[in-house]
Amino acid sequence: MFSGAVKDLGWPCIYHAAPNVDHSNPEVREALISWMNYMTRPRNLGYASLRFDFARGYEGKFMKEYVDNTVWPRGELSIGEYWDDGDGTDPGYTTAEMLTKFVDSMDGHVGAFDFPTKKAIHQAAILEDWSLLGSKEKGLPGLMGVRPHLAFTFIDNHDTAPPQAHYPFPDSLPKLLAAHAYMLSHPGIPSVFWMHVYGKRNADGLTNGKEPDVSLTEADGHTDKRGVWVPPNNAGFSWEKTWPGQEPGTVGSQDATQGPSYTGICGTEIKKMVAARSQAGITSTSDVDIVESRKDLYHAVITGRTVYGSARTGASTEDSVYKLVVCIGPACKSVAAPPDSKVVSSGTLHMVHACKVKVAHVDQALDGLHPHTFIASSSKVTKGVTAFAGASRLKRILDDSDVHATFDEFFIDDEDIYVSQDTKAMLNRDDA
């Protein structure tokens, strides 16, 4: 949104395409807040939130002040573009540690584009090593792995993709679909790039100046030096000819004229994945179980929303959770489909299944006043629970309080009562 830096504040990053703005000046900040409120208030222009461009140019405390006086009180999360390219030498220079420090400096009131996760997906595709997407030992990459609720994940944007091509994802349909299968099933806040859904079309509706030949396969063309697929009889981009002295992959070696691209046909599959994420209730902080991670296969199970059983007449008494099962890599078809699952999207390098899994079986409610508090035939305990003792004590606590409607996670086996941590906080410690 605003660019520039004040060097004496220790933020020496200057963006030469825009004037410096002295954010340390209270009058400047007051004027900016007034303008931002005009842009975001529903009765004015009504933009939902704010995106801060070149966020390395000013301290995070100023961004926090801006959002705290505009959109944050309405519950809207803003986003900052913190992208350190190593002074133009490495578009993948930004680390998870850098972004963590950035978002923590604003107490989580502003998220960030997850460039290190973009790098992990990018490198997995370029090197064809899908273990780079995460492992049990190392967890998930990028800001997604440490602050997922503040991580805006993406595959390409207007800076990384052509015509600027600062960091273009390989123009391969199977790899692009595999990347979306990963991003749209995993934690974080996914950002889908318009051109990946609708194609790169000119004013006449033609993709890069000519009709796309969807019959072409990867084998018909080749990958040029920038990692971009080009069709037959196209030599591709020459780094040395266009940008003398620049190495492939550096920020300076941008490509203003890319050859034909056929990624627009990804739209149908991307929309399926988006719908599956929504229906399964996958959130920015959903749990991920990485089953297997090797060069030719990344296999993970992502847990979504829970559907609780009920003791009411005619209702199911089973508790279930929705899950997405994602397999990426050449060996993706070697993994058996989960029982009673449905295929969301399938391709050469990806397979996404959706399933509903029973997590507990219940026989009857504690009593008629508490239809969501079950006496269970199973002693299975859900993650993050605390034990209480005595069904009679639980019943007394519920009868004496106004919180019984929130008790949806009880599993009672004989005299052991298991209560979620959130529920425990609502109970009187003396009663516990």
Side-chain angles (χ1 to χ4, degrees), residues 288-403:
V288 178
D289 177 19
I290 301 176
V291 180
E292 191 168 6
S293 178
R294 62 178 196 253
K295 185 178 175 66
D296 65 343
L297 176 65
Y298 172 84
H299 176 198
V301 179
I302 302 88
T303 301
R305 62 188 176 94
T306 300
V307 179
Y308 294 107
S310 173
R312 293 189 175 95
T313 303
S316 172
T317 59
E318 294 181 348
D319 289 352
S320 302
V321 294
Y322 287 93
K323 294 177 181 285
L324 294 182
V325 181
V326 182
C327 298
I328 298 173
C332 63
K333 301 296 192 302
S334 66
V335 178
D340 301 321
S341 63
K342 295 182 179 180
V343 175
V344 174
S345 180
S346 175
T348 307
L349 293 173
H350 80 285
M351 176 68 78
V352 181
H353 286 93
C355 57
K356 185 179 180 182
V357 181
K358 184 175 69 172
V359 294
H361 178 73
V362 296
D363 292 326
Q364 64 184 87
L366 183 63
D367 59 30
L369 295 177
H370 309 110
H372 291 285
T373 304
F374 298 116
I375 299 175
S377 59
S378 169
S379 60
K380 182 176 181 179
V381 182
T382 57
K383 180 180 179 181
V385 297
T386 303
F388 282 68
S392 60
R393 175 172 295 181
L394 169 64
K395 187 173 183 300
R396 176 173 59 82
I397 292 172
L398 295 179
D399 290 340
D400 293 342
S401 69
D402 295 324
V403 299

Side-chain angles (χ1 to χ4, degrees), residues 64-356:
K64 183 177 184 299
E65 181 178 346
Y66 297 147
V67 300
D68 285 354
N69 286 279
T70 54
V71 297
W72 177 256
R74 298 200 298 267
E76 300 290 350
L77 179 64
S78 297
I79 182 170
E81 184 206 38
Y82 188 99
W83 184 16
D84 190 338
D85 57 16
D87 293 326
T89 63
D90 181 6
Y93 185 79
T94 304
T95 64
E97 290 76 17
M98 292 178 184
L99 293 186
T100 301
K101 182 179 179 181
F102 171 67
V103 296
D104 285 354
S105 71
M106 296 169 287
D107 298 331
H109 291 198
V110 177
F113 287 112
D114 197 347
F115 280 92
T117 293
K118 146 78 171 172
K119 178 180 180 179
I121 301 173
H122 189 101
Q123 291 299 102
I126 289 286
L127 302 175
E128 298 184 346
D129 181 358
W130 303 102
S131 68
L132 298 176
L133 298 179
S135 66
K136 283 186 176 293
E137 297 75 23
K138 297 181 180 179
L140 296 174
L143 189 64
M144 176 178 67
V146 288
R147 301 287 188 275
H149 61 296
L150 299 173
F152 286 76
T153 53
F154 71 103
I155 296 168
D156 258 334
N157 62 26
H158 63 285
D159 287 325
T160 66
Q164 293 195 81
H166 287 326
Y167 200 16
F169 188 81
D171 204 357
S172 157
L173 180 60
K175 291 178 180 178
L176 190 62
L177 286 172
H180 280 91
Y182 178 80
M183 179 183 74
L184 293 174
S185 64
H186 277 58
I189 306 169
S191 306
V192 177
F193 189 40
W194 174 279
M195 292 184 180
H196 289 163
V197 180
Y198 298 106
K200 305 168 184 178
R201 301 178 183 275
N202 62 17
D204 298 322
L206 301 180
T207 302
N208 282 11
K210 61 178 66 177
E211 289 285 359
D213 182 356
V214 296
S215 67
L216 290 176
T217 67
E218 283 193 271
D220 295 323
H222 67 282
T223 303
D224 69 7
K225 292 183 178 180
R226 67 208 154 142
V228 173
W229 182 87
V230 292
N233 303 317
N234 187 319
F237 182 75
S238 171
W239 298 100
E240 188 60 31
K241 179 180 178 181
T242 307
W243 292 92
Q246 294 286 351
E247 291 297 322
T250 61
V251 175
S253 55
Q254 52 185 313
D255 172 13
T257 55
Q258 180 175 327
S261 171
Y262 303 98
T263 56
I265 59 175
C266 287
T268 300
E269 295 302 308
I270 290 174
K271 291 173 184 178
K272 291 179 184 177
M273 298 179 202
V274 170
R277 179 186 180 93
S278 175
Q279 293 169 12
I282 305 299
T283 70
S284 62
T285 57
S286 289
D287 288 336
V288 178
D289 177 19
I290 301 176
V291 180
E292 191 168 6
S293 178
R294 62 178 196 253
K295 185 178 175 66
D296 65 343
L297 176 65
Y298 172 84
H299 176 198
V301 179
I302 302 88
T303 301
R305 62 188 176 94
T306 300
V307 179
Y308 294 107
S310 173
R312 293 189 175 95
T313 303
S316 172
T317 59
E318 294 181 348
D319 289 352
S320 302
V321 294
Y322 287 93
K323 294 177 181 285
L324 294 182
V325 181
V326 182
C327 298
I328 298 173
C332 63
K333 301 296 192 302
S334 66
V335 178
D340 301 321
S341 63
K342 295 182 179 180
V343 175
V344 174
S345 180
S346 175
T348 307
L349 293 173
H350 80 285
M351 176 68 78
V352 181
H353 286 93
C355 57
K356 185 179 180 182

